PDB file of all heavy atoms in Angstrom:
ATOM      1  N   GLN A   7      96.696  65.751  66.951  1.00 41.00           N
ATOM      2  CA  GLN A   7      96.929  66.906  67.819  1.00 41.00           C
ATOM      3  C   GLN A   7      95.648  67.687  68.037  1.00 41.00           C
ATOM      4  O   GLN A   7      94.939  68.034  67.101  1.00 41.00           O
ATOM      5  CB  GLN A   7      97.986  67.813  67.191  1.00 41.00           C
ATOM      6  CG  GLN A   7      99.370  67.326  67.446  1.00 41.00           C
ATOM      7  CD  GLN A   7     100.209  68.406  68.066  1.00 41.00           C
ATOM      8  OE1 GLN A   7     100.087  69.563  67.717  1.00 41.00           O
ATOM      9  NE2 GLN A   7     101.048  68.030  68.978  1.00 41.00           N
ATOM     10  N   ASN A   8      95.379  67.928  69.300  1.00 48.00           N
ATOM     11  CA  ASN A   8      94.208  68.694  69.701  1.00 48.00           C
ATOM     12  C   ASN A   8      94.464  70.167  69.386  1.00 48.00           C
ATOM     13  O   ASN A   8      95.575  70.647  69.540  1.00 48.00           O
ATOM     14  CB  ASN A   8      93.999  68.480  71.198  1.00 48.00           C
ATOM     15  CG  ASN A   8      92.755  69.150  71.713  1.00 48.00           C
ATOM     16  OD1 ASN A   8      92.382  70.216  71.270  1.00 48.00           O
ATOM     17  ND2 ASN A   8      92.127  68.513  72.664  1.00 48.00           N
ATOM     18  N   ASN A   9      93.447  70.860  68.976  1.00 63.00           N
ATOM     19  CA  ASN A   9      93.576  72.278  68.663  1.00 63.00           C
ATOM     20  C   ASN A   9      94.055  73.093  69.861  1.00 63.00           C
ATOM     21  O   ASN A   9      94.571  74.169  69.708  1.00 63.00           O
ATOM     22  CB  ASN A   9      92.235  72.827  68.149  1.00 63.00           C
ATOM     23  CG  ASN A   9      92.355  74.229  67.604  1.00 63.00           C
ATOM     24  OD1 ASN A   9      93.375  74.595  67.031  1.00 63.00           O
ATOM     25  ND2 ASN A   9      91.337  75.012  67.785  1.00 63.00           N
ATOM     26  N   SER A  10      93.888  72.549  71.083  1.00 76.00           N
ATOM     27  CA  SER A  10      94.293  73.295  72.269  1.00 76.00           C
ATOM     28  C   SER A  10      95.769  73.085  72.616  1.00 76.00           C
ATOM     29  O   SER A  10      96.259  73.700  73.549  1.00 76.00           O
ATOM     30  CB  SER A  10      93.414  72.929  73.458  1.00 76.00           C
ATOM     31  OG  SER A  10      93.643  71.598  73.847  1.00 76.00           O
ATOM     32  N   ASN A  11      96.473  72.205  71.902  1.00 87.00           N
ATOM     33  CA  ASN A  11      97.899  72.033  72.149  1.00 87.00           C
ATOM     34  C   ASN A  11      98.645  73.256  71.638  1.00 87.00           C
ATOM     35  O   ASN A  11      98.303  73.833  70.611  1.00 87.00           O
ATOM     36  CB  ASN A  11      98.425  70.778  71.453  1.00 87.00           C
ATOM     37  CG  ASN A  11      97.936  69.515  72.127  1.00 87.00           C
ATOM     38  OD1 ASN A  11      97.513  69.536  73.265  1.00 87.00           O
ATOM     39  ND2 ASN A  11      97.990  68.423  71.412  1.00 87.00           N
ATOM     40  N   LEU A  12      99.672  73.634  72.389  1.00 95.00           N
ATOM     41  CA  LEU A  12     100.453  74.808  72.020  1.00 95.00           C
ATOM     42  C   LEU A  12     101.743  74.400  71.321  1.00 95.00           C
ATOM     43  O   LEU A  12     102.392  73.433  71.734  1.00 95.00           O
ATOM     44  CB  LEU A  12     100.801  75.624  73.266  1.00 95.00           C
ATOM     45  CG  LEU A  12      99.636  76.179  74.072  1.00 95.00           C
ATOM     46  CD1 LEU A  12     100.151  76.964  75.276  1.00 95.00           C
ATOM     47  CD2 LEU A  12      98.741  77.048  73.215  1.00 95.00           C
ATOM     48  N   SER A  13     102.111  75.158  70.303  1.00 95.00           N
ATOM     49  CA  SER A  13     103.406  74.957  69.667  1.00 95.00           C
ATOM     50  C   SER A  13     104.488  75.487  70.607  1.00 95.00           C
ATOM     51  O   SER A  13     104.194  76.141  71.618  1.00 95.00           O
ATOM     52  CB  SER A  13     103.463  75.715  68.334  1.00 95.00           C
ATOM     53  OG  SER A  13     103.498  77.118  68.588  1.00 95.00           O
ATOM     54  N   GLU A  14     105.730  75.227  70.270  1.00 94.00           N
ATOM     55  CA  GLU A  14     106.830  75.724  71.095  1.00 94.00           C
ATOM     56  C   GLU A  14     106.801  77.252  71.191  1.00 94.00           C
ATOM     57  O   GLU A  14     106.957  77.814  72.281  1.00 94.00           O
ATOM     58  CB  GLU A  14     108.167  75.268  70.508  1.00 94.00           C
ATOM     59  CG  GLU A  14     109.360  75.665  71.321  1.00 94.00           C
ATOM     60  CD  GLU A  14     110.681  75.169  70.735  1.00 94.00           C
ATOM     61  OE1 GLU A  14     110.670  74.217  69.949  1.00 94.00           O
ATOM     62  OE2 GLU A  14     111.721  75.770  71.078  1.00 94.00           O
ATOM     63  N   CYS A  15     106.578  77.926  70.080  1.00 95.00           N
ATOM     64  CA  CYS A  15     106.516  79.397  70.084  1.00 95.00           C
ATOM     65  C   CYS A  15     105.325  79.902  70.889  1.00 95.00           C
ATOM     66  O   CYS A  15     105.449  80.856  71.661  1.00 95.00           O
ATOM     67  CB  CYS A  15     106.443  79.929  68.654  1.00 95.00           C
ATOM     68  SG  CYS A  15     107.917  79.602  67.686  1.00 95.00           S
ATOM     69  N   GLU A  16     104.177  79.255  70.728  1.00 97.00           N
ATOM     70  CA  GLU A  16     103.000  79.652  71.494  1.00 97.00           C
ATOM     71  C   GLU A  16     103.226  79.453  72.990  1.00 97.00           C
ATOM     72  O   GLU A  16     102.787  80.266  73.801  1.00 97.00           O
ATOM     73  CB  GLU A  16     101.781  78.844  71.044  1.00 97.00           C
ATOM     74  CG  GLU A  16     101.288  79.208  69.658  1.00 97.00           C
ATOM     75  CD  GLU A  16     100.249  78.254  69.130  1.00 97.00           C
ATOM     76  OE1 GLU A  16     100.177  77.090  69.580  1.00 97.00           O
ATOM     77  OE2 GLU A  16      99.481  78.675  68.244  1.00 97.00           O
ATOM     78  N   THR A  17     103.929  78.386  73.359  1.00 96.00           N
ATOM     79  CA  THR A  17     104.224  78.131  74.762  1.00 96.00           C
ATOM     80  C   THR A  17     105.097  79.237  75.339  1.00 96.00           C
ATOM     81  O   THR A  17     104.837  79.727  76.446  1.00 96.00           O
ATOM     82  CB  THR A  17     104.907  76.759  74.932  1.00 96.00           C
ATOM     83  OG1 THR A  17     104.028  75.740  74.433  1.00 96.00           O
ATOM     84  CG2 THR A  17     105.238  76.475  76.387  1.00 96.00           C
ATOM     85  N   LEU A  18     106.119  79.666  74.602  1.00 96.00           N
ATOM     86  CA  LEU A  18     106.965  80.772  75.068  1.00 96.00           C
ATOM     87  C   LEU A  18     106.151  82.045  75.247  1.00 96.00           C
ATOM     88  O   LEU A  18     106.312  82.767  76.237  1.00 96.00           O
ATOM     89  CB  LEU A  18     108.105  81.032  74.088  1.00 96.00           C
ATOM     90  CG  LEU A  18     109.224  80.018  74.025  1.00 96.00           C
ATOM     91  CD1 LEU A  18     110.233  80.408  72.950  1.00 96.00           C
ATOM     92  CD2 LEU A  18     109.907  79.866  75.366  1.00 96.00           C
ATOM     93  N   ILE A  19     105.300  82.313  74.301  1.00 98.00           N
ATOM     94  CA  ILE A  19     104.470  83.519  74.370  1.00 98.00           C
ATOM     95  C   ILE A  19     103.522  83.439  75.565  1.00 98.00           C
ATOM     96  O   ILE A  19     103.393  84.401  76.330  1.00 98.00           O
ATOM     97  CB  ILE A  19     103.720  83.743  73.045  1.00 98.00           C
ATOM     98  CG1 ILE A  19     104.730  84.150  71.959  1.00 98.00           C
ATOM     99  CG2 ILE A  19     102.621  84.786  73.196  1.00 98.00           C
ATOM    100  CD1 ILE A  19     104.193  84.161  70.555  1.00 98.00           C
ATOM    101  N   MET A  20     102.895  82.286  75.760  1.00 98.00           N
ATOM    102  CA  MET A  20     101.999  82.143  76.905  1.00 98.00           C
ATOM    103  C   MET A  20     102.766  82.258  78.213  1.00 98.00           C
ATOM    104  O   MET A  20     102.280  82.887  79.156  1.00 98.00           O
ATOM    105  CB  MET A  20     101.230  80.821  76.850  1.00 98.00           C
ATOM    106  CG  MET A  20     100.065  80.808  75.884  1.00 98.00           C
ATOM    107  SD  MET A  20      98.875  82.177  76.105  1.00 98.00           S
ATOM    108  CE  MET A  20      98.378  81.981  77.813  1.00 98.00           C
ATOM    109  N   LYS A  21     103.965  81.698  78.287  1.00 98.00           N
ATOM    110  CA  LYS A  21     104.761  81.800  79.515  1.00 98.00           C
ATOM    111  C   LYS A  21     105.045  83.271  79.818  1.00 98.00           C
ATOM    112  O   LYS A  21     104.940  83.711  80.965  1.00 98.00           O
ATOM    113  CB  LYS A  21     106.055  80.995  79.378  1.00 98.00           C
ATOM    114  CG  LYS A  21     106.923  81.000  80.609  1.00 98.00           C
ATOM    115  CD  LYS A  21     106.256  80.326  81.778  1.00 98.00           C
ATOM    116  CE  LYS A  21     107.218  80.242  82.959  1.00 98.00           C
ATOM    117  NZ  LYS A  21     106.524  80.152  84.234  1.00 98.00           N
ATOM    118  N   ALA A  22     105.395  84.035  78.802  1.00 98.00           N
ATOM    119  CA  ALA A  22     105.648  85.470  78.988  1.00 98.00           C
ATOM    120  C   ALA A  22     104.382  86.192  79.449  1.00 98.00           C
ATOM    121  O   ALA A  22     104.433  87.054  80.327  1.00 98.00           O
ATOM    122  CB  ALA A  22     106.185  86.086  77.696  1.00 98.00           C
ATOM    123  N   ILE A  23     103.249  85.826  78.880  1.00 98.00           N
ATOM    124  CA  ILE A  23     101.980  86.449  79.269  1.00 98.00           C
ATOM    125  C   ILE A  23     101.623  86.066  80.700  1.00 98.00           C
ATOM    126  O   ILE A  23     101.255  86.927  81.514  1.00 98.00           O
ATOM    127  CB  ILE A  23     100.854  86.067  78.282  1.00 98.00           C
ATOM    128  CG1 ILE A  23     101.127  86.683  76.895  1.00 98.00           C
ATOM    129  CG2 ILE A  23      99.491  86.516  78.804  1.00 98.00           C
ATOM    130  CD1 ILE A  23     100.219  86.160  75.791  1.00 98.00           C
ATOM    131  N   TRP A  24     101.725  84.776  81.026  1.00 98.00           N
ATOM    132  CA  TRP A  24     101.404  84.332  82.389  1.00 98.00           C
ATOM    133  C   TRP A  24     102.310  85.010  83.406  1.00 98.00           C
ATOM    134  O   TRP A  24     101.855  85.450  84.458  1.00 98.00           O
ATOM    135  CB  TRP A  24     101.535  82.822  82.517  1.00 98.00           C
ATOM    136  CG  TRP A  24     100.406  82.036  81.907  1.00 98.00           C
ATOM    137  CD1 TRP A  24      99.078  82.315  81.979  1.00 98.00           C
ATOM    138  CD2 TRP A  24     100.515  80.831  81.152  1.00 98.00           C
ATOM    139  NE1 TRP A  24      98.344  81.357  81.308  1.00 98.00           N
ATOM    140  CE2 TRP A  24      99.203  80.430  80.793  1.00 98.00           C
ATOM    141  CE3 TRP A  24     101.581  80.038  80.733  1.00 98.00           C
ATOM    142  CZ2 TRP A  24      98.940  79.275  80.054  1.00 98.00           C
ATOM    143  CZ3 TRP A  24     101.324  78.898  79.998  1.00 98.00           C
ATOM    144  CH2 TRP A  24     100.013  78.525  79.663  1.00 98.00           C
ATOM    145  N   ASP A  25     103.599  85.107  83.107  1.00 98.00           N
ATOM    146  CA  ASP A  25     104.549  85.699  84.042  1.00 98.00           C
ATOM    147  C   ASP A  25     104.323  87.197  84.233  1.00 98.00           C
ATOM    148  O   ASP A  25     104.726  87.754  85.249  1.00 98.00           O
ATOM    149  CB  ASP A  25     105.988  85.440  83.603  1.00 98.00           C
ATOM    150  CG  ASP A  25     106.407  83.985  83.788  1.00 98.00           C
ATOM    151  OD1 ASP A  25     105.635  83.192  84.390  1.00 98.00           O
ATOM    152  OD2 ASP A  25     107.507  83.629  83.324  1.00 98.00           O
ATOM    153  N   ALA A  26     103.664  87.845  83.271  1.00 97.00           N
ATOM    154  CA  ALA A  26     103.397  89.283  83.374  1.00 97.00           C
ATOM    155  C   ALA A  26     102.419  89.582  84.513  1.00 97.00           C
ATOM    156  O   ALA A  26     102.407  90.692  85.039  1.00 97.00           O
ATOM    157  CB  ALA A  26     102.848  89.825  82.058  1.00 97.00           C
ATOM    158  N   LYS A  27     101.595  88.620  84.888  1.00 94.00           N
ATOM    159  CA  LYS A  27     100.632  88.749  85.992  1.00 94.00           C
ATOM    160  C   LYS A  27      99.524  89.771  85.730  1.00 94.00           C
ATOM    161  O   LYS A  27      98.708  90.029  86.598  1.00 94.00           O
ATOM    162  CB  LYS A  27     101.320  89.096  87.319  1.00 94.00           C
ATOM    163  CG  LYS A  27     102.440  88.185  87.705  1.00 94.00           C
ATOM    164  CD  LYS A  27     101.933  86.852  88.170  1.00 94.00           C
ATOM    165  CE  LYS A  27     103.076  86.042  88.773  1.00 94.00           C
ATOM    166  NZ  LYS A  27     103.145  84.701  88.306  1.00 94.00           N
TER     167      LYS A  27
END
Side-chain angles (χ1 to χ4, degrees):
Q7 279 234 322
N8 184 324
N9 189 34
S10 67
N11 288 341
L12 299 180
S13 70
E14 183 179 339
C15 295
E16 290 170 337
T17 300
L18 288 177
I19 290 169
M20 282 307 303
K21 182 64 175 155
I23 293 169
W24 284 318
D25 288 353
K27 307 286 190 227

